[in-house]
Amino acid sequence: MILGLETSCDETAAALITSDGDILANIVSSQAELHARFGGVVPEVASRRHLELVMPVVQEALGEADASLGDVERVAVTQGPGLVGALLVGLSAAKALAWSRRLPLVPVDHLHGHVASLYLEPDAVEPPFLCLLASGGHTMLLDVRDRAGFAVLGETLDDAAGEAFDKVARFIGLGFPGGPAIDRLAKDGNPNAYDFPRPLLREDNYDFSLSGLKTAVIRWVRERVARGEEFDPADLAASFQEAIVDVQVAKTMRAAEDRKVGTVVLAGGVAANSRLRERMAEEGKARGIEVVAPSPALCTDNGAMIAAAGIRRLERGERTPLDAAPVPGLSLG
Ligand code: KG4
Ligand code: ZN
């Protein structure tokens, strides 16, 4: 069995999966509440909490899988991108475990981990496919040809989708993380109540730009409040969500049609968004394109996706030296 460790942001996560991608345990300890009072993730606070949680989370995963450290054959860990101090905690724990038991260790690109969430049974999807990867740090369209990696077709020029959700949510007092809160509130709202911009919707590329949309929504709220006018927060949440979803669905479908791809998959925390899942499925059906999304729990950061990405690299004989450093900034590809 393979142990997957993930500590790139504010989730401390450990999972055990088999080489076939069956999940034996997938434990995620979210620090969201800890960071909520700051309105976002505070890197130093995250690192310290990872340090407290990383081994208990591994122990809990072993307990759930009814296994011991002696049963772990290989270790996969997120090397980047992410917060450097947070990454360092998971990487150091993984190195210590691998060294003490002489196990192969492999570093994983967090983004590859999100894509690999699709390779987990029972709903495993086989490449080739087009992947919309939308999370708190990234919004990308990926060309996935095999399980070993991906190529980037387009990405956000400014804010990531999750970041836009979080910032608008914080502004209207919905707390952190904002995506799930907006998703819930929007269910009672009218998506056509207010008309917000759809940036780059008609541009002939696969890039996204969401900071202008976020600013437009914030400015709109400020102006309403300044004029003493009321508005329905549910309508606002639904209209903002609809604008983000519109852009992501349109760009993804255009890329799939241009490239004659039959399968589109969603990955990353924003792929848990109910409206995005619904709209993408509808638009895919209308075009004869299969749309697949992992269960919401596998969309947000977890250890199973890291283990799934690690398997392929280990099979190719890749190993990490024990002095490997975190790679905070770039996708490892
Ligand atoms: O993939 P993830 O767990 O962490 C990163 O790698 O960034 O994604 C977290 C992001 C947050 O911005 C969060 O607000 C967003 O995913 N998110 C959602 C939903 N669930 C999580 N956004 C919209 N709707 C959701 N249901
Ligand atoms: Zn992530």
Side-chain angles (χ1 to χ4, degrees), residues 11 110 114 135-137 162 165-166 177-180 183 268-270 272-273 299-301:
E11 263 94 25
H110 183 80
H114 276 300
S135 71
F165 270 110
D166 292 340
D183 194 348
V270 178
N273 184 268
C299 289
T300 44
D301 292 350

Side-chain angles (χ1 to χ4, degrees), residues 92-157:
S92 305
K95 285 178 191 173
L97 287 169
W99 177 79
S100 66
R101 309 201 68 87
R102 304 290 184 268
L103 303 177
L105 171 70
V106 74
V108 170
D109 177 348
H110 183 80
L111 306 186
H112 188 205
H114 276 300
V115 174
S117 62
L118 274 305
Y119 307 145
L120 291 162
E121 298 288 1
D123 299 314
V125 186
E126 244 353 275
F129 54 74
L130 183 83
C131 175
L132 171 69
L133 170 52
S135 71
H138 300 87
T139 299
M140 298 176 145
L141 272 172
L142 308 176
D143 178 19
V144 183
R145 294 290 168 93
D146 58 43
R147 285 192 177 206
F150 55 80
V152 179
L153 299 176
E155 61 188 313
T156 183
L157 305 176

Side-chain angles (χ1 to χ4, degrees), residues 130-314:
L130 183 83
C131 175
L132 171 69
L133 170 52
S135 71
H138 300 87
T139 299
M140 298 176 145
L141 272 172
L142 308 176
D143 178 19
V144 183
R145 294 290 168 93
D146 58 43
R147 285 192 177 206
F150 55 80
V152 179
L153 299 176
E155 61 188 313
T156 183
L157 305 176
D158 37 60
D159 286 3
E163 192 181 352
F165 270 110
D166 292 340
K167 286 178 177 168
V168 167
R170 181 167 60 184
F171 185 72
I172 59 175
L174 291 180
F176 173 82
I182 289 193
D183 194 348
R184 274 193 302 275
L185 183 60
K187 289 194 198 302
D188 300 322
N190 172 6
N192 303 313
Y194 311 122
D195 190 21
F196 294 122
R198 267 91 172 139
L200 303 190
L201 186 64
R202 288 177 213 300
E203 302 276 317
D204 193 16
N205 58 34
Y206 304 136
D207 290 330
F208 302 87
S209 166
L210 297 170
S211 127
L213 166 60
K214 168 203 70 189
T215 312
V217 173
I218 291 175
R219 194 182 316 119
W220 184 93
V221 173
R222 276 210 183 103
E223 285 170 5
R224 283 261 168 144
V225 171
R227 288 200 300 266
E229 288 172 21
E230 304 236 318
F231 66 89
D232 180 351
D235 282 349
L236 177 77
S239 302
F240 162 63
Q241 176 175 271
E242 200 67 7
I244 288 210
V245 167
D246 263 355
V247 178
Q248 292 182 91
V249 170
K251 291 261 162 166
T252 307
M253 286 297 149
R254 185 189 304 156
E257 284 183 317
D258 287 354
R259 304 177 66 84
K260 305 195 177 9
V261 179
T263 306
V264 161
V265 313
L266 309 183
V270 178
N273 184 268
S274 57
R275 187 67 178 150
L276 180 66
R277 295 167 84 96
E278 179 182 71
R279 287 280 315 282
M280 200 72 87
E282 278 169 17
E283 297 294 323
K285 198 167 173 208
R287 293 170 175 78
I289 295 170
E290 183 193 24
V291 175
V292 186
S295 63
L298 290 176
C299 289
T300 44
D301 292 350
N302 64 86
M305 69 183 202
I306 301 304
I311 285 177
R312 181 68 197 180
R313 305 187 73 141
L314 285 159

